[in-house]
């Protein structure tokens, strides 16, 4: 190998080294903090290929959104009710320079976040009644403005102090303290028993109404039918009476005779004793012979 | 470009030191290496996937459709492939195997209803990638964000709803509302996913109050049974009453018809007889009288007195008392 070639090789290696130290690429998920002998010089937030001085070094920070989930803790509302609240914080690093100076790493950041959120949450819950969070009437359960306010103030504080952006603070789970649960279960049971009784009573009520209504309808149907039936019978009787009257009034005397004789047949039975005068119409012929028939 | 050719340059150096061959052969190797390097930029995106291409970390193509494509080779471009259509599934309220083994955290599925009842709720969330770029680069742990957003919306929605509605009528509405609001939250975070479904798999009261809840179900069944029985009673009673009414109506009609017909018959008969009577009134009357007497008198006891009205009553008494006499005989 000639000397010239050796120089060329050395120059090439040197150029490569220089390039390696001067170029760096920033990914979409990262911030690059350029430091010069430990002192932060600038923050690079747009992804792509960048240039720096070879003596500058770089600190990388994950800029992605992260979820921090503090341990559930107990809070007191304005109306002195205890609530166990499990919340989450969506956050990301916004200002790497401030972040590295005040916090350093993620777990330290989470500790700071915990403090900010815990104090913010206990302060804002102290101004709210329980029904802001838990209520059967949806209009009352409006926790969103409170949480939005909490997010805004926490965000301001975190950004200023730690270079952290708090995107959202939300309540993930509402629960009651363990020691209250037994009484809640007892209340739930009592409530269920009341509802069960109510169902039974309502069922009985409805059943009674149905039966009574059925009885009434039956009575209505039968009595109405009776009314119509009696009317029809009456019509029959009236018509019959009219027919009889019409017929018999043509010869009332004869009718009287016939009817009287008919009634004798019914009235006089084998228990009847009758004393007949021998002079009677029937026996006159018997006693007087032919002359009796006159 | 020189930094990118680093490995090749080193190769060149090695080649020069170790293999002193002719220049033509050396160029040949170089051509091969360069060619392979260039070809290595080709990639295939399968049918169910999409790809994102970055150049030195910055996104240059946020959405590469399926097919064969070319990107600049390492270390310039990077290709991230994603199964965009595949539904990812996550469970809120205790993982199923844990629940079976009884290892799940007891309060992990407990939610507080609007009327301060505790309920165990298990929800399955399905989501898919909507924006590959956001999905890859905006969030550190997508599943965790999705779970947090859905859980928080679920807790909020349940905390505004009475327990009975959650157990019965509101289930679908809760699913829809949570899907919408959780999607809204995720859009705010730029997570780049679409929630395709939120399904409440299971809502159960806590074990400590479960029997009371079953009692309500039993009471409801009892109430329904009572009402059904009453309906049965009504359904039996009313048709029968109608039948009875119809019977009454028929009977009365029959009575009416019978009465009228009989009257007509009687009247016709009388008129016939009366017509004959008019022809010979005296004889007819006598005949009627005598005929009637013939029918009546045989059945009855008769005592005939003389025209003066004298009557031997002893005869009557003896006749009358004949049963008493026999009684007297036995007593004597």
């Amino acid at each position: 190998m000639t000397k010239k070639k050796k120089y060329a090789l050395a120059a090439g290696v040197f150029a490569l080294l220089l390039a390696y130290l001067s170029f760096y690429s920033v990914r979409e998920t990262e911030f690059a903090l350029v430091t010069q002998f430990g002192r932060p010089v600038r923050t690079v937030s747009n992804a792509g290929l960048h240039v720096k001085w070879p003596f500058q070094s770089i600190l990388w920070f994950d800029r992605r959104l992260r979820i921090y989930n503090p341990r559930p803790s107990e809070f007191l509302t304005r109306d002195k009710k205890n609530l166990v609240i499990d919340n989450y914080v969506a956050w990301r690093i916004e200002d790497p320079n401030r972040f590295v100076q005040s916090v350093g790493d993620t777990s330290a950041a989470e500790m700071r976040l915990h403090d900010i959120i815990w104090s913010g949450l206990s302060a804002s819950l102290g101004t709210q009644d329980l029904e802001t969070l838990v209520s059967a009437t949806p209009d009352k359960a409006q926790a969103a403005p409170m949480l939005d306010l909490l997010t805004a103030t926490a965000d301001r504080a975190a950004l200023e102090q730690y270079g952290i952006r708090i995107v959202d603070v939300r309540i993930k789970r509402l629960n009651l303290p363990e020691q209250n649960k037994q009484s809640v279960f007892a209340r739930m049971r009592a409530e269920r028993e009341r509802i069960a009784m109510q169902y039974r009573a309502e069922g009985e009520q409805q059943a009674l109404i149905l039966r009574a209504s059925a009885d009434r309808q039956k009575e209505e149907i039968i009595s109405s039918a009776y009314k119509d039936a009696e009317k029809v019978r009456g019509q029959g009787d009236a018509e019959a009476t009219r027919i009889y009257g019409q017929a018999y009034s043509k010869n009332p005397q004869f009718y009287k005779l016939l009817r009287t004789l008919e009634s004798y047949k019914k009235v006089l039975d084998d228990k009847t004793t009758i004393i007949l005068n021998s002079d009677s119409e029937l026996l006159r012929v018997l006693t007087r012979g032919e002359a009796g028939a006159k | 470009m020189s930094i990118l050719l680093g490995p090749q340059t080193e190769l060149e150096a090695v080649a020069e030191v170790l293999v002193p061959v002719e220049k033509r052969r050396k160029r040949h190797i170089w051509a091969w290496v360069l060619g392979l390097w260039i070809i290595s930029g080709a990639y295939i995106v399968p049918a169910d996937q999409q790809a994102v291409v970055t150049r030195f970390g910055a996104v240059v193509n946020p959405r590469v459709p399926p097919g064969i494509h070319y990107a600049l080779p390492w270390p310039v471009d990077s290709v991230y492939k994603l199964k965009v259509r595949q539904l990812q599934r996550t469970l809120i309220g205790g993982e199923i195997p844990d629940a079976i083994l009884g290892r799940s955290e007891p309060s992990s599925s407990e939610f507080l209803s609007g009327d301060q009842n505790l309920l165990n709720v298990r929800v399955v969330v399905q989501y898919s990638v909507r924006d590959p770029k956001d999905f890859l680069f905006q969030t550190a742990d997508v599943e965790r964000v999705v779970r947090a957003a859905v859980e928080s919306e679920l807790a909020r929605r349940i905390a505004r709803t009475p327990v009975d509605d959650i157990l019965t009528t509101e289930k679908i509405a809760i699913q829809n509302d949570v899907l919408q609001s959780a999607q809204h939250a995720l859009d705010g975070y730029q997570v780049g996913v679409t929630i395709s479904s939120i399904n409440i798999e299971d809502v159960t009261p806590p074990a400590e109050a479960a029997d009371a809840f079953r009692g309500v179900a039993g009471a409801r069944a009892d109430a329904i049974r009572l009402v059904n029985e009453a309906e049965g009673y009504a359904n039996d009673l009313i048709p029968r009453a109608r039948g009875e009414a119809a019977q009454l109506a028929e009977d009365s009609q029959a009575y009416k018809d019978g009465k009228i017909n009989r009257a007509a018959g009687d009247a016709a008969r009388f008129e016939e007889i009366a017509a004959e009577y008019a022809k010979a009134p005296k004889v007819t009357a006598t005949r009627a009288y005598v005929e009637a007497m013939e029918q009546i008198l045989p059945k009855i006891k008769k005592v005939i007195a003389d025209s003066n009205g004298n009557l031997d009553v002893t005869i009557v008494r003896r006749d009358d008392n004949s049963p008493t006499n026999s009684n007297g005989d036995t007593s004597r």
Side-chain angles (χ1 to χ4, degrees), chain A residues 89-141:
Chain A
V89 185
W91 66 282
R92 58 161 58 104
I93 297 169
E94 181 78 9
D95 183 348
N97 191 0
R98 193 158 291 165
F99 184 81
V100 73
Q101 283 176 27
S102 59
V103 184
D105 61 3
T106 306
S107 60
E110 287 185 342
M111 272 170 62
R112 305 281 156 75
L113 282 174
H114 179 269
D115 294 346
I116 292 180
I117 301 302
W118 191 88
S119 59
L121 205 55
S122 60
S124 48
L125 277 172
T127 66
Q128 303 286 341
D129 287 340
L130 177 68
E131 64 179 18
T132 315
L133 294 170
V134 181
S135 172
T137 44
D139 296 341
K140 283 188 182 154

Side-chain angles (χ1 to χ4, degrees), chain B residues 238-306:
Chain B
I238 289 166
R240 268 207 278 171
R242 292 224 170 84
E244 217 172 300
Q247 199 185 350
L248 274 176
E250 286 300 316
D251 283 356
S252 66
Q253 195 60 46
Y255 172 85
K256 178 185 173 181
D257 292 349
K259 198 84 180 179
I260 292 171
N261 285 338
R262 270 192 211 95
D266 288 349
R269 177 164 160 241
F270 176 78
E271 275 168 7
E272 291 294 327
I273 299 169
E276 292 309 313
Y277 170 78
K279 289 176 190 163
K282 194 127 183 143
V283 174
T284 311
T286 307
R287 189 179 56 80
Y289 174 72
V290 173
E291 268 178 16
M293 286 307 131
E294 277 174 0
Q295 278 182 40
I296 297 160
L297 289 177
K299 291 186 284 185
I300 61 176
K301 297 193 185 86
K302 298 163 284 284
V303 176
I304 302 170
D306 64 18

Side-chain angles (χ1 to χ4, degrees), chain B:
Chain B
M1 217 48 177
S2 57
I3 186 176
L4 306 168
L5 297 174
Q8 277 74 32
T9 322
E10 275 164 23
L11 262 178
E12 187 182 14
V14 168
E16 261 189 275
V17 175
L18 294 180
V19 211
V21 283
E22 28 180 320
K23 260 189 178 175
R24 217 174 138 236
R25 183 108 182 255
K26 219 154 71 181
R27 258 200 224 115
H28 199 62
I29 292 168
W30 276 116
W32 269 104
V33 170
L34 193 70
L36 278 175
W37 183 70
I38 288 168
I39 285 169
S40 76
Y43 62 98
I44 291 170
V45 179
D48 61 334
Q49 298 182 5
Q50 284 188 354
V52 179
V53 179
T54 62
R55 182 160 304 157
F56 297 119
V59 172
V60 287
N61 193 346
R63 204 183 271 271
V64 181
I68 186 158
H69 301 278
Y70 184 76
L72 292 177
W74 182 93
V76 182
D77 285 0
S78 303
V79 177
Y80 300 84
K81 294 180 201 166
L82 267 184
K83 292 188 173 172
V84 286
R85 296 220 188 109
Q86 194 180 57
L87 285 180
Q88 326 233 23
R89 189 170 182 277
T90 183
L91 191 109
I92 293 170
E95 201 58 52
I96 301 167
D98 275 11
I100 289 165
L101 296 171
R103 276 198 282 113
S104 69
E105 201 184 320
S107 60
S108 69
S109 61
E110 264 176 16
F111 285 84
L112 194 61
S113 75
D115 47 1
Q116 293 186 41
N117 281 232
L118 287 165
L119 280 173
N120 294 318
V121 181
R122 207 170 69 216
V123 171
V124 172
V125 184
Q126 286 189 309
Y127 61 95
S128 60
V129 178
R130 183 175 57 198
D131 185 334
K133 176 173 152 285
D134 285 350
F135 183 85
L136 286 168
F137 304 127
Q138 288 290 336
T139 320
D141 183 346
V142 171
E143 188 184 349
R144 195 154 179 220
V145 179
V146 170
R147 288 173 61 94
V150 172
E151 208 174 332
S152 116
E153 291 304 328
L154 191 66
R156 197 165 66 87
R157 186 64 175 76
I158 286 178
R160 328 170 18 153
T161 315
V163 62
D164 289 299
D165 293 358
I166 299 167
L167 286 169
T168 54
T169 51
E170 282 281 281
K171 225 164 158 178
I172 305 285
I174 291 173
Q175 288 175 181
N176 291 339
D177 289 357
V178 170
L179 191 143
Q180 275 183 13
S181 50
Q183 182 68 58
H184 184 76
L186 292 176
D187 291 349
Y189 303 159
Q190 283 189 284
V191 180
V193 298
T194 304
I195 302 175
S196 57
S197 76
I198 285 178
N199 195 13
I200 300 179
E201 289 236 306
D202 201 11
V203 189
T204 49
E208 289 85 345
D211 54 337
F213 275 83
R214 275 194 296 275
V216 171
R220 195 181 306 197
D222 281 355
I224 290 168
R225 182 178 52 74
L226 278 174
V227 170
N228 283 343
E229 278 172 10
E231 270 168 1
Y233 171 78
N235 288 345
D236 174 60
L237 196 68
I238 289 166
R240 268 207 278 171
R242 292 224 170 84
E244 217 172 300
Q247 199 185 350
L248 274 176
E250 286 300 316
D251 283 356
S252 66
Q253 195 60 46
Y255 172 85
K256 178 185 173 181
D257 292 349
K259 198 84 180 179
I260 292 171
N261 285 338
R262 270 192 211 95
D266 288 349
R269 177 164 160 241
F270 176 78
E271 275 168 7
E272 291 294 327
I273 299 169
E276 292 309 313
Y277 170 78
K279 289 176 190 163
K282 194 127 183 143
V283 174
T284 311
T286 307
R287 189 179 56 80
Y289 174 72
V290 173
E291 268 178 16
M293 286 307 131
E294 277 174 0
Q295 278 182 40
I296 297 160
L297 289 177
K299 291 186 284 185
I300 61 176
K301 297 193 185 86
K302 298 163 284 284
V303 176
I304 302 170
D306 64 18
S307 54
N308 298 329
N310 295 332
L311 177 70
D312 183 1
V313 182
T314 54
I315 303 167
V316 177
R317 188 175 297 144
R318 196 170 59 218
D319 245 23
D320 250 3
N321 291 354
S322 50
T324 329
N325 267 354
S326 61
N327 265 352
D329 284 346
T330 49
S331 68
R332 214 186 301 165

